[in-house]
Amino acid sequence: MTDYVQVSTATPAREQAVSLAQWAVKARLAAGSQIIGPVTSVFWHLGEFGEGEEWRLLLTTTSERYPELERYLLDAHPWDNPELLATPVTGAPRCLEWIKNSVSPQS
């Protein structure tokens, strides 16, 4: 895994995605977030085929801070078992430095 990840999940309502993003960024678990939506999702859930409208939440963080971000998202998420994925990323050095500095705990 690289030193940086993009984390994605989805919520049923825009306000829930905004709330999760605000808390994660204020707590310095994520450097930033984008909320995209509404998006249409097609899925299997509890053995049934489904389709629904969701709000996609993308967050950037370091691999070091990811476990804490994951715990927060799983605890605060409105769904019991949300899709939560962390994808390794690379990028421009200045952007990666911004992510690192943004999620470093402040003294």
Side-chain angles (χ1 to χ4, degrees):
M1 186 178 273
T2 67
D3 292 335
Y4 302 91
V5 294
Q6 182 177 65
V7 179
S8 67
T9 191
T11 62
R14 179 186 179 278
E15 297 76 19
Q16 293 163 324
V18 170
S19 178
L20 289 173
Q22 287 176 340
W23 196 94
V25 172
K26 286 179 182 178
R28 296 190 171 274
L29 298 178
S33 178
Q34 293 83 40
I35 297 162
I36 305 160
V39 297
T40 300
S41 292
V42 178
F43 51 85
W44 283 101
H45 182 67
L46 300 175
E48 294 187 21
F49 179 79
E51 181 178 324
E53 189 173 275
E54 300 175 341
W55 291 82
R56 174 68 52 200
L57 174 61
L58 300 173
L59 304 110
T60 51
T61 193
T62 60
S63 297
E64 182 180 340
R65 295 292 277 170
Y66 173 73
E68 192 175 352
L69 176 60
E70 178 186 273
R71 279 192 300 280
Y72 160 70
L73 290 172
L74 290 175
D75 288 344
H77 203 284
W79 290 328
D80 291 336
N81 187 25
E83 179 180 81
L84 182 59
L85 302 172
T87 306
V89 296
T90 59
R94 289 191 304 190
C95 178
L96 299 177
E97 187 69 20
W98 165 74
I99 294 170
K100 180 180 170 185
N101 290 339
S102 295
V103 300
S104 295
Q106 299 296 301
S107 50

